Amino acid sequence: MRNLKSFYAIILLLLFSVGIQAQVKPSKEAAMDRFLRYVKIDTQSAEDQNTVPSTRKQFDLAKLLAAELKALGAQNVRISEAAIVYAMVPGNLPDNSKVPTIGFISHMDTSPAVSGANVNAIIHKNYQGGDIVLPNDKTQIITVDKNPVLKGMIGDDIITADGTTLLGSDDKSGIAEIMTLVDTLMQNPQIKHGNIAISFTPDEEVGGGIEKFDIQGFGAKYAYTVDGETPGEVDDETWSARTATVTFTGKSTHPGSAKGMMVNSAYAAGDFLTRFPQDMLPETTEGRVGFIHPYIGTLDIETSTIKVLLRDFDISGLEAKEAILKKMVAATQAKFPKMQIKMDVALNYLNMKEELKKYPEIVENAMEATRRAGLTPKLNAIRGGTDGSRLTALGLPTPNLPTGGQNFHGKLEFNSRKGLEKTVEMLLHLVQVYAEKAK
Ligand SMILES: [Zn+2]
């Protein structure tokens, strides 16, 4: 009897949950369709500009997103002078103040590393395994060997660029997912949630956009960037990051009358480059091991510069790397006494982990939402930074959630229909997890 009773209870529960699921109306536009529209808009940012946004074309996407947010029914939609889009999706609880306002943030710009103009997205329907050769440059191959994640994507529709540009999944995937979240919530008032703050930012790839972010105006207590990779991962740790600029100053004269006069700074810059420890470079490190990375520079007779990224998960590791650079500078200086060499170091962002520990529910809720979406959650430390690293340091705790995208900043970038849809599902669960915990 008892068993029979619980049997009926289970059947009832099943029917009930199937009923709930069936009641979720699809969004007006699918995440994939949105994504394919957004990647056509060139939003590449540029290094070393004095303005935010670094490229005016980022306004093209900002304006479109603001208009779409308004059309979806979001409130207080606005675009700042720096091209940051803000909006609020009002909660539908009896008292929204009992639930923390949570924010979702993605960035609009694409990496300066590879062109993002005329992106020709290719859909590899019903992927059946094997390497994916990109049609317009057959040397660009997404191999299963380097992308084992492909093994779990059989039957999915994989989206790539054509081999001549990046795809822009980083981070138009995040934008399409957040927009589809808003769309789905608007279609489904029965899904209960608190206030949700939305923002789309410029210049994440060049690091300037977030400086203009209005945390107060955004209105979130906690936030998530949706800018990660494999579904299931929750990034609660980033590099602590500094950039060193080493300037070599010599003396320029006309080469025809340079004897005994010219001091060519390019040679000192060249000497400095030979001093980098080979076991401490991005190309020789992985996992939790940090690096120093000379990534851009200028050569000229009078003045040459080399910029160096310093990255480590721990501040002490970062300090040690800075000390190594100082020794390298001193050694080059000793070899080229007629030159002036100076090094300036700027802080870029700090590992968010220490700050996030104070608010464990932020990561816990993301893990729970991941589970509800049928995925196995996994905490991940990213060998990079996000806008959330900076926001967390400024008082808005902001871990990073996955987008389904892979191979950021290159021509081999890809995402998939399921990658986009799973993320939307996880975000839908996340807003409900917060609402359920309302007191
Ligand atoms: Zn990104």
Side-chain angles (χ1 to χ4, degrees), residues 107 170-171 204-205 227 408:
H107 64 89
D170 177 17
D171 189 19
E204 191 267 355
E205 301 294 0
D227 190 18
F408 291 179

